[in-house]
Amino acid sequence: MSPLVLGVILLLALAMGLCLLAFRSRRVIGDDKAQHRQAQRDFYRQRQRELLNDREMGLISEEQMAELNAELDKQLLEENAEFSARAGISRGPVLWLSLLLLPALALPLYDYLGYRLDYRLLDVQQQLFAADQPSEDDLHRFEALVDDILVRRPENAELLMTMASIRRQQGNYAEAVKYYERLLDLFPQDADILAQLAQARYLSANRVIDAQTRSLLERSLAVNPQQGTALGVLGIDAFAAGDYLNAITYWQRLQMGLDPQTGEAMVIAAGLNEAKRLAIETGAIEGLQLSVDIAPALGDFPNGVLFVVVREPSGSPMPVAAVRLPVRAGTAAFPLTVYVTDSDVIRQGATLSDFDSLRVSAHISVKGVAMRSPGDWVSEAATLNGDATSQPVSLLIDQLQPATR
């Protein structure tokens, strides 16, 4: 519903309310008049009976009774006139005047709040979408209109988010921070806004996390432990600082919430694999280095997810560890080097060196799930004995998973 239509509905509702109030006010005044006049008549008759009794008892003369009756009539007339004057000062004229002024005030108020600008903004947006390559003038007009509306309605969250996104795309992160800060004032517990503000601050500070930015990231994760932007920034910062274990932790949490076929998932998987390599080389963690290749006879590999699964030779269906790496035709070059570390061990508290022997296999899942399905590309399992983490492993994907009978 457009602001104009909404505004018209609200004004009509207000006008109807004022009409009802005016009619009700007139009815109440009429009822008050009737009750007052009835009370006056009752009092007048009662007083006349009292005067008549006083005359019959000889307490007053005929002349005195006539004078008192005249005084009573005068009092009745004066009270009627006073009440009519008070009743005449009603809210009815004021309400009707308000009804007349309401349409006159509506349009200036509509302009003051910037709703008329919304239609101009819509026209500019349509021009931008229709153009193959929007001109700089059109973009500047769009931004100027948005800023003008925000001056009039500073709590318009949609436009604040629009301007923050535009500034980010332009690489003007310092300006984006200003819009995110205004959004945070409106939504102080929104995990996404907290994370996006932190990211904009991080980028505007040449990829340095200060105390305030770290506080924003921690607040975001306190609201939503899987907030992707916050996990990504903390992982990048840890990796840049050489803290590969924390980088692995953050990126593994982030990877869990990503669609494996998205570009972001592929970037995170590659970064995570590199962090594992460096963590193993620096002795921060133990792990396996595997070289996974595809037999030429299978041809071009499909889009999917490469799973490397580590199990015990006993045949337990529960894996010891597992790693997933999205692969897409044209972007991945086999053989791929994949690292499986203690951070990938599924069993809580266990490490790879806790097992005397391990069986390692690889498969490309077309459906992107860990469970093998008909049509997946699979390898034979390799058995590792003794200190498995010191032995490089080669796996060859050379067969298709048969259909189940």
Side-chain angles (χ1 to χ4, degrees), residues 288 308-314 316-323 340-348 350-355 357-360:
L288 297 170
V308 175
V309 182
V310 182
R311 288 188 170 87
E312 291 183 271
S314 62
S316 171
M318 180 65 178
V320 172
V323 170
V340 182
T341 69
D342 290 340
S343 66
D344 300 303
V345 175
I346 297 171
R347 303 182 187 182
Q348 188 172 6
T351 64
L352 293 172
S353 60
D354 291 337
F355 301 89
S357 60
L358 297 168
R359 286 177 62 82
V360 185

Side-chain angles (χ1 to χ4, degrees), residues 63-387:
E63 291 79 5
Q64 290 174 322
M65 180 176 174
E67 290 178 1
L68 291 173
N69 271 328
E71 184 67 25
L72 183 62
D73 290 341
K74 180 181 178 183
Q75 181 181 354
L76 178 64
L77 291 173
E78 289 176 350
E79 287 183 358
N80 276 333
E82 182 180 355
F83 181 81
S84 297
R86 288 200 309 269
I89 306 175
S90 67
R91 290 172 294 177
V94 176
L95 292 174
W96 286 112
L97 180 61
S98 299
L99 285 175
L100 293 175
L101 290 176
L102 194 58
L105 294 175
L107 289 178
L109 181 62
Y110 188 80
D111 282 338
Y112 175 76
L113 294 177
Y115 287 112
R116 190 183 296 277
L117 296 176
D118 287 350
Y119 286 93
R120 291 172 56 190
L121 183 65
L122 182 60
D123 289 339
V124 175
Q125 283 179 312
Q126 291 174 345
Q127 293 174 15
L128 291 175
F129 291 143
D132 294 333
Q133 183 64 39
S135 68
E136 288 294 327
D137 290 341
D138 287 339
L139 291 173
H140 288 322
R141 277 200 304 140
F142 175 81
E143 294 174 13
L145 278 171
V146 172
D147 282 332
D148 196 1
I149 294 171
L150 287 175
V151 169
R152 302 163 188 264
R153 302 201 308 277
E155 296 185 354
N156 189 315
E158 181 180 355
L159 293 183
L160 288 172
M161 184 61 74
T162 297
M163 288 304 298
S165 300
I166 289 174
R167 295 297 181 242
R168 281 176 50 129
Q169 293 170 5
Q170 294 171 339
N172 191 347
Y173 302 111
E175 284 297 316
V177 165
K178 297 177 182 179
Y179 290 103
Y180 282 127
E181 286 176 338
R182 292 168 64 179
L183 281 166
L184 190 60
D185 289 337
L186 298 176
F187 309 102
Q189 297 301 317
D190 189 292
D192 294 337
I193 292 174
L194 284 163
Q196 288 165 4
L197 171 57
Q199 185 186 51
R201 285 178 54 86
Y202 170 72
L203 295 172
S204 67
N206 295 320
R207 300 180 182 272
V208 174
I209 295 182
D210 59 17
Q212 184 176 350
T213 300
R214 188 169 297 278
S215 174
L216 290 167
L217 293 168
E218 291 173 352
R219 286 170 57 191
S220 174
L221 292 177
V223 176
N224 177 13
Q226 295 303 120
Q227 211 294 321
T229 300
L231 291 171
V233 170
L234 288 169
I236 292 171
D237 183 67
F239 185 89
D243 186 2
Y244 304 118
L245 289 182
N246 269 326
I248 291 169
T249 299
Y250 288 126
W251 283 340
Q252 282 181 330
R253 288 170 58 184
L254 173 57
Q255 190 181 48
M256 292 173 59
L258 297 177
D259 180 346
Q261 285 303 309
T262 62
E264 182 182 6
M266 300 187 73
V267 170
I268 293 300
L272 181 56
N273 200 50
E274 179 65 9
K276 291 176 183 178
R277 180 185 72 81
L278 293 170
I280 293 172
E281 288 183 358
T282 58
I285 198 170
E286 291 188 342
L288 297 170
Q289 177 180 330
L290 303 102
S291 177
V292 182
D293 204 354
I294 297 177
L298 291 181
D300 296 331
F301 64 89
N303 294 335
V305 179
L306 171 64
F307 286 93
V308 175
V309 182
V310 182
R311 288 188 170 87
E312 291 183 271
S314 62
S316 171
M318 180 65 178
V320 172
V323 170
R324 70 175 186 178
L325 189 68
V327 291
R328 187 181 299 167
T331 61
F334 284 88
L336 289 176
T337 301
V338 181
Y339 296 90
V340 182
T341 69
D342 290 340
S343 66
D344 300 303
V345 175
I346 297 171
R347 303 182 187 182
Q348 188 172 6
T351 64
L352 293 172
S353 60
D354 291 337
F355 301 89
D356 294 332
S357 60
L358 297 168
R359 286 177 62 82
V360 185
S361 65
H363 70 278
I364 297 177
S365 170
V366 178
K367 295 181 178 179
V369 296
M371 186 70 68
R372 293 185 181 184
S373 303
D376 287 350
W377 293 31
V378 301
S379 75
E380 292 289 346
T383 302
L384 308 177
N385 296 310
D387 186 6

